[in-house]
Amino acid sequence: MWTKPILLNKESGVWSDNIIIYDVEKKEVATQWSNKHQGGWKPQFTQDGKFMAKNFNNKEIHFYDTTTNMDIKKPSYKFRLQDSSATFQNFQLSPGLNPAVAVFIPEKSGKPAQVLIYNIPSFNQPICTKSFFKAEKCQLKWNALGTALLALASTDHDTSNKSYYGETNLYLLGIAGSYERIDLKREGPIHDITWSPSAREFAVSYGYMPSETTFFDARGNAIHSLPTAPRNTILYSPHGRFVLVAGFGNLQGTVDVYDRQDKFSKVCTFEASNTSVCEWSPCGRFILTATTSPRLRVDNGLKIWHASGKLVYCKDYAELFSISWKPQPIEKFPPLRQLEACPEPQQSAKDFLAKKAALGGNGGVKKAGAYRPPHARNSGAASTATSLYQKELQGGSSPAPSGTFVPGAGARRVVPGAAPAPAPKESKTAAKNRKKREAKKAASGTPEVEAPKETPKEGVAGVIGGVVSLEEKKIRSLLKKLRAIETLKMKQAQGEPLEDTQVSKINKEDDIRKELSELGWAE
């Protein structure tokens, strides 16, 4: 048990013993020690409970014989790395009658990562060694007999930039010294690995979503693959009869149950959204799903499902921190020959299902629709916009009313060098009004004054193809300067004081006129 450490002496830096090991049979404290960090503090025990292993500064593993010595300062055996400068990241004890320990050393300074397997307590020579690169972390999983180990090596960064989740590789190691890399036929991360309780096969969920779940024999040969689906969790029932494949975490929580002994036929599918804990019961007939805090601080509670997919019990909690089945020996429950009928659901399950049915079967989740801004809600604006959009799809863009500003509709685009666009056709109403104006002017006898046409000055570069030439631009700029000079000269004549920069502009008048004459401009 881990408790929050307390600083007993600030000067000497002594902390309280916050890790306590209890002897359940004797009902007393077996040993205790101090560990300030909450990560990596858990000790490990062999299957028979004879040895307890404890990490010591990631350089040593201390083993204690629980039958004779539990003095934390006097370990029965010590495992030390041969390289004194190296540190291991994690270790895992194997089950079985002859326990072994697997140790993972991450890559460092160009040296490859290593997984070493030693028999306990013979630490002189490893019985299996595997070195590989691209391994910053490694998950170690033994089979039930302790004869084979799965090592899931991973990195946080993918050097090929193909995956956001880094790179993952799976290796199979045996206590006889054999090892091999498991080749997966799809690219992407490995989501989950698990051994069958029979120790004769294991399953891997891998690949980009929707992922693929493949089953391998003890030698690493693929024997069956399930259809691709958004799944990331695999759980065998205690006897290995059923396999649960689910999508939890950021997935919807769909759970599939397959019968392993009936050629992987699907037994059922049900939804268990927001699940953070999922376990098979020791008898292999029921499935526990729960939502716990702090993973989620709302909708905390538990649900118990029959293996046929029917809900039999549920209970809500304001805050649920941890939950699990009571450990019981598997020998107490004989293997299932066939799945029994689902028992009568408890009243809590009936109430939950009735409430779900009343809410439309979606658990009260409101169906998402088209977004409407706040000012358009509870009004007809949204329906009008929808109808206009539908009209636009059916018959092109709808014309805007006369005098209405259309956002984004600017002036007609003019392409340099292209022929001018044809003038818009005059409507009947506009033609009728024009004729009335002409008739009124003719009746009054007032001749229509024709606007004087501008005659281009001789020698001035004209507009060619709708584009102003460089000479024309230069002339316009110089004429603008001349007008500014004339304004300054008038101010000077009126006696207004001028700045030095303004006087220098007046002095440049002759140069500007000379440049204009060179460009062919004449007054």
Side-chain angles (χ1 to χ4, degrees):
M1 181 178 68
W2 187 92
T3 58
K4 185 177 180 180
I6 300 173
L7 182 60
L8 301 178
N9 192 325
K10 188 175 182 180
E11 295 180 357
S12 60
V14 177
W15 292 78
S16 62
D17 293 337
N18 62 315
I19 297 179
I20 306 172
I21 305 296
Y22 290 95
D23 190 329
V24 179
E25 294 181 354
K26 297 180 180 180
K27 298 181 180 180
E28 62 182 13
V29 175
T31 186
Q32 54 187 355
W33 67 90
S34 176
N35 191 321
K36 294 183 292 183
H37 303 288
Q38 198 170 2
W41 64 270
K42 289 184 179 180
Q44 298 183 31
F45 293 85
T46 56
Q47 187 172 351
D48 56 4
K50 183 179 180 180
F51 290 104
M52 182 188 78
K54 169 182 169 293
N55 182 2
F56 185 77
N57 296 331
N58 292 101
K59 287 182 174 292
E60 297 180 358
I61 302 176
H62 292 179
F63 292 85
Y64 302 88
D65 190 339
T66 59
T67 59
T68 59
N69 175 32
M70 283 297 286
D71 187 355
I72 204 66
K73 296 181 180 179
K74 297 179 180 179
S76 303
Y77 306 100
K78 288 184 180 181
F79 165 78
R80 292 188 182 92
L81 294 175
Q82 296 179 358
D83 186 357
S84 59
S85 62
T87 58
F88 64 85
Q89 189 179 87
N90 58 311
F91 70 95
Q92 188 67 41
L93 298 184
S94 72
L97 300 178
N98 299 313
V101 58
V103 183
F104 169 67
I105 304 173
E107 57 180 321
K108 183 180 179 181
S109 302
K111 295 182 180 179
Q114 283 186 313
V115 173
L116 308 173
I117 300 178
Y118 294 87
N119 279 326
I120 301 174
S122 302
F123 303 128
N124 295 327
Q125 186 70 23
I127 58 176
C128 183
T129 303
K130 175 60 179 173
S131 301
F132 43 82
F133 287 96
K134 298 181 180 180
E136 297 174 358
K137 296 180 290 185
C138 189
Q139 182 181 354
L140 305 172
K141 281 197 175 184
W142 287 96
N143 65 358
L145 299 178
T147 57
L149 173 75
L150 286 175
L152 176 58
S154 61
T155 60
D156 294 330
H157 177 66
D158 184 4
T159 55
S160 62
N161 293 326
K162 291 183 179 180
S163 174
Y164 172 79
Y165 302 97
E167 294 182 78
T168 52
N169 292 288
L170 184 61
Y171 301 91
L172 176 62
L173 290 77
I175 59 173
S178 61
Y179 56 83
E180 62 178 310
R181 183 176 181 270
I182 303 299
D183 293 325
L184 304 174
K185 59 183 180 180
R186 292 188 61 187
E187 292 185 353
I190 298 176
H191 308 289
D192 193 17
I193 56 173
T194 185
W195 280 98
S196 168
S198 65
R200 293 193 296 266
E201 68 180 31
F202 61 91
V204 184
S205 175
Y206 62 96
Y208 299 112
M209 290 295 168
S211 62
E212 185 166 346
T213 302
T214 303
F215 296 84
F216 298 84
D217 61 16
R219 296 183 178 180
N221 302 315
I223 56 178
H224 185 76
S225 292
L226 299 178
T228 57
R231 307 289 185 265
N232 58 6
T233 304
I234 310 171
L235 291 173
Y236 277 91
S237 63
H239 297 92
R241 171 70 183 269
F242 301 107
V243 184
L244 181 149
V245 182
F248 296 138
N250 59 346
L251 301 178
Q252 293 183 352
T254 305
V255 179
D256 298 327
V257 179
Y258 295 89
D259 191 340
R260 174 64 185 87
Q261 297 180 6
D262 190 16
K263 300 179 181 179
F264 294 97
S265 61
K266 183 181 287 189
V267 178
C268 66
T269 298
F270 60 90
E271 297 291 333
S273 59
N274 300 330
T275 296
S276 51
V277 175
C278 183
E279 292 182 3
W280 281 95
S281 64
C283 64
R285 293 170 173 82
F286 300 95
I287 302 167
L288 167 69
T289 62
T291 303
T292 58
S293 183
R295 173 67 175 82
L296 284 175
R297 298 191 180 275
V298 294
D299 299 333
N300 281 196
L302 68 94
K303 294 183 179 68
I304 297 178
W305 311 77
H306 189 251
S308 60
K310 297 180 180 179
L311 182 66
V312 295
Y313 179 77
C314 66
K315 186 174 182 179
D316 296 332
Y317 293 90
E319 280 186 305
L320 179 63
F321 296 101
S322 180
I323 188 170
S324 180
W325 294 99
K326 178 183 177 181
Q328 298 185 58
I330 193 173
E331 293 80 9
K332 189 176 179 180
F333 305 98
L336 293 174
R337 294 184 178 272
Q338 62 180 6
L339 184 61
E340 302 169 354
C342 178
E344 181 70 16
Q346 296 288 328
Q347 187 61 37
S348 59
K350 294 180 180 179
D351 295 341
F352 175 81
L353 295 175
K355 182 179 178 181
K356 185 177 180 180
L359 294 173
N362 57 0
V365 180
K366 187 176 180 181
K367 187 176 180 181
Y371 172 76
R372 295 183 182 180
H375 68 274
R377 296 169 188 170
N378 301 324
S379 66
S383 59
T384 304
T386 305
S387 61
L388 290 175
Y389 176 66
Q390 292 175 351
K391 289 179 181 179
E392 183 177 350
L393 289 179
Q394 294 172 359
S397 58
S398 57
S402 177
T404 305
F405 171 72
V406 181
R412 186 184 300 274
R413 183 184 177 190
V414 178
V415 181
K425 187 177 180 181
E426 189 178 24
S427 63
K428 293 182 179 180
T429 305
K432 188 176 181 180
N433 293 336
R434 180 177 54 79
K435 290 179 181 180
K436 285 183 179 180
R437 288 195 302 271
E438 292 176 355
K440 188 175 180 180
K441 289 180 181 179
S444 61
T446 305
E448 187 174 356
V449 181
E450 186 178 358
K453 297 182 180 179
E454 291 186 2
T455 305
K457 295 183 180 181
E458 186 179 356
V460 178
V463 178
I464 303 173
V467 181
V468 180
S469 63
L470 295 176
E471 292 82 359
E472 176 67 9
K473 289 182 179 180
K474 185 67 174 177
I475 291 172
R476 289 181 180 179
S477 176
L478 294 173
L479 290 175
K480 186 177 180 181
K481 292 180 180 179
L482 277 181
R483 288 193 295 270
I485 290 173
E486 292 295 333
T487 304
L488 292 175
K489 289 170 69 176
M490 291 177 61
K491 290 182 179 180
Q492 191 178 32
Q494 294 175 1
E496 293 184 13
L498 299 179
E499 297 180 359
D500 295 339
T501 55
Q502 294 175 330
V503 174
S504 63
K505 284 184 180 180
I506 296 175
N507 297 333
K508 294 179 181 179
E509 181 181 2
D510 295 338
D511 297 336
I512 294 174
R513 292 185 181 277
K514 182 179 179 181
E515 191 172 354
L516 282 171
S517 61
E518 291 177 355
L519 292 173
W521 183 83
E523 296 184 5

